[in-house]
Structure formats: C-alpha cells, structure tokens
C-alpha cells in the first residue's frame, strides 16, 4: 500500500474463543477512510459491526491484521477515537455538565487552563443545544437529551475519528430525525471523520459519504461499499424524491434483504 | 348530521372547523402557604405517625391486661414506668463505678460500636474492592468469607479474649468481625456489577487507576456498598449488647445483665426500649447518608 489513508483497517480478523470453541466474527476486513469522511457500517444483527467499531476504538484487540490511524498502530483506547455508545453511557451520579467536564478535564489536563476547559465544556454543551439542562442528572432528562450529551462528550475530546455505535438506535423516530439533522450539521461545521454503526438504511444514506455493507456472520466481511454522491448540506425533505437518494437506498436494501438476507440460526 | 367535512384542499371548511369557543377557566383560590404546610403535616401524621401509635397503644394495653394479674412473672407497663422513673428522668447521673445513668451506658456501647464499625468499614470496603476486582482474589477468598460469615458473633468472643487478654479490644473485635462480612460481600458485588459501559468510557478518556477508583468505581458501587454498611451497622449493634453481657464494664449490654442479676426486670425492659430506639436511629443515619451520597445513582 503506497499512500496510507487517514484511518486504515488492514486485513483484520477477529475470533472469540471460549472453552475451546472458537467463533470467528470478522474475516479479512479492510477499509480505508479519508479525513473528514462520514462512513456508515450497515449489516444485520450479529454481523460483527460493533466488534469492528470496538477494534477501531481499541476496546477489543484483533486476532490478525492491524488498524492504523495517521500511520500509527491502534492498540489501546484513547480520546483520539472517541466513542458515542448506543446506550449513551453517561455516568448517572454526575450532572450533564460534569459528564462532559470529566472527559475535558482529563484530555486537556495539560494543554488548557481551568477557565479554558470550562469554556470548552460549555461550548460543547451549547453545540448540542443542551445548555438549559447542564445541571441536570441523566436520570432527569429524556433519551434523546442523554444521547446529545453523549455526543457532546465525544466531540469535546476533539477526536481524530468519531465512532458512533448505533447512536440513534434507542430513540423514537422523531427524536432520531432531529438528532440526525443535528449530527449532520455539526459534522459539516467541524469536518469530523466519522465511523457510524447503524441498521437503519435511511439513516445510512442520509448521513454518509460511503456506506460499508457487511455480510452476515460468522466470518463476516465487507460485502460492498456504496458511494453516496449527494451534495451537502443535505435536506431530508428534498432528498425524499431525489433520484440518487432513491437509487442508493434501493442498492442498500437490495444488498441487505436480497443477497444477504438474515438467516435465523436454527 | 351537519358536521363540516374536512378535505385537504378545502380551506373554508378547515377554517370553519378550527374556530372553537373559548371557555374561561376559573382558577380555584390558592390556599395560603401556612394552610398548605399544616395540611402536609396533618397528612404526614395521619399516614406515618398515627398507625404505629395506635398499634403501640393496643400492644401496651394488651400487655397491661395480661401482666396485671397477681403473680405474673413480668411487670405491666405501668409498673415498669414507676420502677424506672428515676432512670427515665435522669439518664445523666454518675455515682462512680458502674452506677451510671443510661446515657453513659449507651455512650460506652456506641463508642465501642463506632471503633469496631469504623475498622469494619475500611477493611470491608478494601477487601470488597479486592474481591470484586480480581477473579483470583474472589476464587480464593470468597469461599472462606462465606464460611466465616456464618459464625455467630459471640462464638468469636472467647477466641478474641484469648488473643487480646482484655475485654475492651475483644468487644471491638467482635463488632468488627460481625459487621465486616456484609460490607465485603456487598462491595464486591457492587464492583463486579459496574456496567462495561462505564469502564469503556474510562478507557476512552484514559483515566488512570486512581482516577478510575475514585471517579467510576466507588460512585458506581456506592448503592451496593451502602446496602452492606446498613446491614453492618445493624449487626454490630446486635453484637455489642451480647458481647457486653459477657465482658462487663460500662455499657448497655452489661447494664441489662446487671439488672437481671439484681432482678430488676423493669430496668431490663427500659434498656431494651433504648437499645431498640438507638439501633433504629443508627440504621436511619446510615440510610440518610446513603441517600445523600447515592442521589441519582440508583436510577441510572
């Protein structure tokens, strides 16, 4: 490989063994992501999407292969690959502000003064429109608000890659739509490189530059990669009748429900 | 049947339908704050204060009826109050030696409990963290804890008397050994049940071991730890009375034993009331601290 990509996943295999039984989850997965690109990984449940994300996050080790971020090998978790977890994972004993501040204070302990860190934390909370609830605890706010704080916490680390693990999966449809728009807007503004796990076809087409479609596990691999050449900023309502959008949507649906139909294990 | 039919393109019909009569809502007169507060106090009294008082009165009446017959082995409540009136009105007298008011006996017992329980909290949380953290520590220690925790408190007393050769540290040791097990076990369960999500968050922002301990582990396990602490404080109060009966000296346990030896049954009954009330207060104190500390944590 000549010029190395910003984020490069190279020939990654992952197998879990327990009690002598080895279960191969990922087989020879390779993917190059450019800086500022929004990538969605889509596939049926159990295809190892989350495992792939955890490998990039450094939370799970690889069995074979390697992941490079800016030419450096990824072998442990770190704030340059911030994760937004599916179930928000805010610490319930801290307020929204404190949840974000915990990350900010740790990541910028040396590079920012106390006042700068406070401003930075507030700015992230304002970015996701949560300033009004900054002193509330996670148990006192709605699911969508929790996820917004989860996103603010991840953005606050100024990650090189933002990893989203089905970030809108647990939300109702209206909240999801709203948050998708917000993430899209933030991404346009900050030019983050994003890797998002999803199983929502519309979400993938709407948000991504490229959609990575995974085959069914075990031994899942990348089946196809679809480019979504839609102009940004994208408008949900206008896209409904857009030719490219419809074609992209159809391609993903075809992949998921025709060629790689989810077969329930007996 | 003349309701307007709504059609997507029929603007007039939509308009007609959207006009509705506005009915003024007359707000009820707001009660004054004092009346409101009085109301709340009354509500509280009727739901939490009155029922136990009624039951207590019935029990006392029942007791009075049963024990008033001549020749009954226990005194009726009226007799208890007249017998112990001096102790009730003056809990602070001190005539030297063991002849002190109930306050001093309770204080001595509480001091022993405080020392023994404090050691149990420190050791229990530390061992609990160890067992919860390390699979090997759990495999090695857990079976031993499970056996030791079933040993009754008083069974430890002769052994600790042999080891310490003194009543005071022996009593404290018994308190410690009684209350430490629930603290260890609950802390360990709490640590083991920390959601992976929380430790993943800690890994991503790279908290070091000490930060993880103070910022994630302890607050996440706090509800469990406090459950252990609450059970522990109850057990230690149970154990102290029994231990003091045997070791002697100032203390509510010895007071009861001494009263038995001088056949002051009324004194025993009064002391039991005090023991119960103090135990209840101890439990409430720990519960109160738990509520204050784990605010929000339990309802993730």
């Amino acid at each position: 490989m000549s010029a190395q990509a910003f984020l490069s996943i190279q020939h990654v295999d992952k197998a879990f063994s327990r009690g002598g039984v080895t279960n191969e989850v990922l087989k020879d997965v390779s993917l190059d992501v450019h800086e500022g690109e929004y990538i969605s990984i889509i596939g049926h449940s159990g295809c190892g999407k989350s495992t792939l994300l955890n490998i990039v996050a450094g939370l799970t080790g690889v069995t074979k292969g390697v992941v490079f971020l800016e030419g450096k090998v990824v072998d442990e978790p770190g704030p340059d690959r911030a994760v937004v977890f599916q179930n928000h994972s805010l610490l319930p004993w801290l307020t929204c502000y404190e949840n974000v501040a915990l990350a900010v204070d740790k990541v910028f302990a040396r590079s920012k003064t106390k006042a700068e860190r406070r401003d930075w934390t507030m700015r992230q909370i304002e970015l996701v429109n949560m300033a009004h609830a900054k002193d509330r605890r996670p148990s006192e706010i709605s699911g969508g608000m929790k996820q917004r704080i989860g996103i603010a916490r991840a953005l606050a680390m100024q990650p090189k890659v933002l990893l989203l693990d089905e970030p809108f999966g647990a939300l109702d449809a209206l909240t999801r739509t709203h948050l998708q728009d917000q993430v899209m807007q933030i991404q346009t503004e900050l030019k983050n490189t994003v890797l998002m796990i999803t199983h929502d076809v519309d979400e993938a087409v709407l948000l991504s530059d490229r959609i990575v479609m995974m085959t069914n596990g075990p031994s899942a691999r990348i089946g196809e990669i679809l480019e979504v050449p839609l102009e940004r900023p994208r408008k949900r309502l206008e896209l409904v009748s857009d030719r490219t959008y419809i074609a992209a949507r159809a391609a993903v649906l075809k992949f998921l429900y025709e060629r790689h139909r989810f077969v329930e294990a007996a | 049947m003349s309701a307007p039919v709504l059609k997507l393109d029929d603007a007039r019909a939509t308009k007609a339908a959207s006009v509705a009569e506005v009915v003024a809502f007359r707000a009820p007169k707001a009660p004054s704050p004092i009346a409101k507060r009085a109301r709340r106090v009354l509500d509280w009294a009727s739901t939490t204060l009155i029922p136990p008082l009624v039951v207590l009165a019935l029990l006392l009446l029942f007791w009075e009826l049963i024990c008033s017959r001549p020749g009954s082995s226990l005194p009726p409540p009226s007799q208890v109050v007249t017998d112990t009136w001096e102790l009730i009105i003056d809990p602070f007298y001190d005539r030297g030696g063991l002849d002190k008011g109930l306050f001093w006996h309770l204080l001595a017992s509480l001091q022993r409990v405080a020392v023994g329980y404090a050691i149990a909290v420190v050791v229990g949380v530390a061992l609990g963290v160890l067992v919860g953290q390390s699979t090997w520590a759990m495999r090695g220690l857990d079976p031993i804890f499970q056996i030791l925790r079933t040993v009754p408190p008083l069974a430890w007393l002769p052994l600790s008397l042999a080891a310490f050769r003194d009543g005071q540290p022996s009593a404290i040791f018994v308190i410690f050994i009684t209350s430490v097990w629930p603290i260890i076990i609950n802390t360990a369960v709490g640590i083991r049940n920390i959601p992976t999500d929380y430790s993943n968050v800690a890994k991503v922002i790279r908290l070091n071991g000490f930060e993880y301990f103070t910022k994630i582990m302890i607050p996440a396990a706090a509800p469990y730890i406090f459950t252990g602490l609450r059970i522990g404080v109850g057990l230690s109060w149970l154990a102290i009375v029994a231990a003091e009966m045997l070791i002697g000296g100032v203390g509510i346990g010895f007071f009861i034993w001494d009263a038995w030896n001088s056949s002051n049954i009324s004194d025993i009954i009064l002391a039991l009331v005090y023991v119960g009330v103090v135990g209840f207060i101890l439990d409430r104190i720990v519960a109160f601290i738990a509520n204050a500390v784990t605010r929000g944590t339990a309802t993730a």
Side-chain angles (χ1 to χ4, degrees):
Chain A
M1 209 165 281
S2 50
Q4 197 160 53
F6 183 67
L7 171 71
S8 176
I9 302 168
Q10 296 181 359
H11 308 290
V12 163
D13 288 7
K14 179 66 192 175
F16 291 103
S17 348
R18 190 192 289 161
V21 184
T22 307
N23 189 4
E24 195 166 50
V25 182
L26 295 172
K27 182 77 189 155
D28 196 23
V29 173
S30 294
L31 177 68
D32 282 349
V33 181
H34 309 297
E35 195 166 3
E37 208 175 11
Y38 199 120
I39 304 271
S40 288
I41 301 173
I42 197 166
H44 292 289
S45 317
C47 75
K49 325 183 277 285
S50 284
T51 308
L52 183 59
L53 191 93
N54 282 339
I55 288 173
V56 177
L59 292 167
T60 306
V62 294
T63 307
K64 241 172 73 187
V66 68
V67 176
F68 288 107
L69 177 60
E70 282 192 319
K72 276 190 223 114
V73 177
V74 165
D75 52 2
E76 59 169 357
D80 55 345
R81 282 156 286 121
V83 187
V84 175
F85 298 94
Q86 178 177 9
N87 41 2
H88 66 79
S89 348
L90 299 180
L91 305 177
W93 53 90
L94 299 179
T95 62
C96 293
Y97 176 87
E98 289 165 337
N99 263 292
V100 180
L102 179 72
V104 170
D105 287 345
K106 181 64 189 163
V107 175
F108 301 107
R110 287 200 200 101
S111 50
K112 284 189 202 296
T113 66
K114 219 170 178 189
E116 280 173 341
R117 292 203 295 264
R118 203 173 44 230
D119 286 350
W120 180 250
T121 305
M122 267 324 290
R123 199 150 18 115
Q124 305 310 313
I125 294 175
E126 278 157 16
L127 192 65
V128 293
N129 298 327
M130 282 294 292
H132 61 285
K134 72 180 177 66
D135 294 321
R136 295 221 230 142
R137 283 163 199 274
S139 55
E140 299 162 349
I141 59 177
S142 71
M145 290 161 106
K146 284 180 208 167
Q147 200 51 286
R148 266 145 73 182
I149 292 295
I151 291 168
R153 177 173 64 186
L155 288 173
M157 302 177 211
Q158 276 197 315
K160 289 176 183 147
V161 184
L162 185 61
L163 303 172
L164 307 176
D165 188 0
E166 292 186 32
F168 316 117
L171 305 175
D172 66 90
L174 289 174
T175 314
R176 193 184 310 159
T177 312
H178 183 66
L179 266 188
Q180 285 165 351
D181 287 343
Q182 219 162 19
V183 165
M184 205 155 41
Q185 191 194 334
I186 290 170
Q187 202 260 344
T188 318
E189 220 169 284
L190 305 178
K191 309 263 182 293
N192 306 89
T193 310
V194 183
L195 204 59
M196 176 178 80
I197 304 286
T198 182
H199 45 220
D200 180 334
V201 177
D202 285 297
E203 179 173 292
V205 177
L206 181 69
L207 295 174
S208 328
D209 297 314
R210 282 192 291 158
I211 302 174
V212 174
M213 293 174 260
M214 309 260 311
T215 65
N216 287 333
S219 306
R221 41 189 184 75
I222 293 177
E224 267 169 48
I225 298 180
L226 178 77
E227 298 230 10
V228 187
L230 289 168
E231 290 290 310
R232 286 180 192 274
R234 297 177 181 172
K235 294 250 161 53
R236 185 185 300 275
L237 286 177
E238 291 166 14
L239 286 178
V240 170
S241 49
D242 186 287
R243 271 245 204 84
T244 324
Y245 181 87
I246 295 170
R249 206 172 167 275
V252 179
L253 282 172
K254 246 190 195 138
F255 178 90
L256 287 178
Y257 299 108
E258 216 171 87
R259 271 170 290 161
H260 295 277
R261 209 143 45 116
F262 184 55
V263 187
E264 201 74 54
Chain B
M1 294 294 284
S2 59
V5 179
L6 283 184
K7 283 183 197 153
L8 274 177
D9 297 327
D10 193 344
R12 273 175 311 152
T14 319
K15 205 174 175 192
S18 65
V19 176
E21 196 188 342
V22 177
V23 181
F25 174 69
R26 205 173 298 128
K29 219 170 75 186
S32 74
I34 298 169
K36 232 192 242 172
R37 173 164 296 182
R39 183 72 192 274
R40 215 178 302 146
V41 170
L42 266 177
D43 278 354
W44 176 79
S46 64
T47 53
T48 58
L49 202 61
I50 306 285
L53 285 181
V54 169
V55 173
L56 184 67
L58 286 175
L59 284 176
L60 286 175
L61 186 69
F62 182 63
W63 176 12
E64 183 77 43
L65 287 175
I66 292 219
C67 294
S68 291
R69 290 172 305 162
S72 73
S73 52
L74 294 175
S78 54
Q79 183 70 37
V80 171
V81 172
T82 31
D83 284 353
T84 60
W85 189 246
E86 258 176 69
L87 285 170
I88 295 174
I89 55 165
D90 187 11
F92 300 109
Y93 76 87
D94 186 351
R95 292 191 203 111
L98 299 178
D99 194 5
K100 295 175 195 292
L102 274 171
F103 172 80
W104 302 109
H105 287 288
L106 283 169
L107 186 68
S109 300
L110 280 172
Q111 278 169 346
R112 293 194 184 103
V113 167
V115 177
Y117 182 66
I119 301 173
V121 170
V122 174
V123 174
V125 171
L127 277 176
V129 168
L130 179 70
V131 171
Q133 265 287 62
S134 138
T135 317
W136 280 105
M138 188 188 79
R139 286 181 191 157
L141 290 171
D142 196 56
I144 298 174
F145 290 164
Q146 296 298 344
I147 290 173
L148 287 182
R149 80 186 172 93
T150 62
V151 175
L154 277 191
W156 291 101
L157 191 61
L159 190 66
S160 55
L161 277 170
F164 295 111
R165 295 165 194 280
D166 187 12
Q168 185 75 356
S170 304
I172 290 172
F173 175 78
V174 169
I175 301 299
F176 161 76
I177 204 80
T178 308
S179 54
V180 78
W181 309 117
I183 301 178
I184 294 177
I185 290 165
N186 281 286
T187 305
V189 171
I191 300 281
R192 238 175 285 151
N193 282 352
I194 294 177
T196 335
D197 286 344
Y198 298 171
S199 54
N200 279 345
V201 169
K203 281 181 202 158
V204 168
I205 62 178
R206 287 205 179 128
L207 293 181
N208 62 34
F210 177 72
E211 288 166 331
Y212 181 67
F213 179 74
T214 55
K215 290 187 176 159
I216 308 281
M217 203 189 264
I218 291 297
Y224 290 88
I225 296 176
F226 273 102
T227 305
L229 294 183
R230 213 168 146 190
I231 300 172
V233 83
L235 287 180
S236 59
W237 191 239
L238 289 182
I240 189 65
V241 175
E244 282 174 348
M245 285 187 177
L246 297 177
I247 61 161
V250 180
I252 194 70
F254 180 73
F255 176 88
I256 293 173
W257 194 243
D258 193 40
W260 161 245
N261 282 330
S262 28
S263 307
N264 292 330
I265 307 300
S266 297
D267 285 8
I268 298 179
I269 293 170
L270 179 69
L272 291 190
V273 171
Y274 276 88
V275 168
V277 169
V278 171
F280 175 76
I281 292 172
L282 285 180
D283 181 66
R284 280 302 135 128
I285 291 175
V286 178
F288 175 78
I289 298 172
N291 270 335
V293 172
T294 61
R295 203 161 25 109
T297 314
T299 54

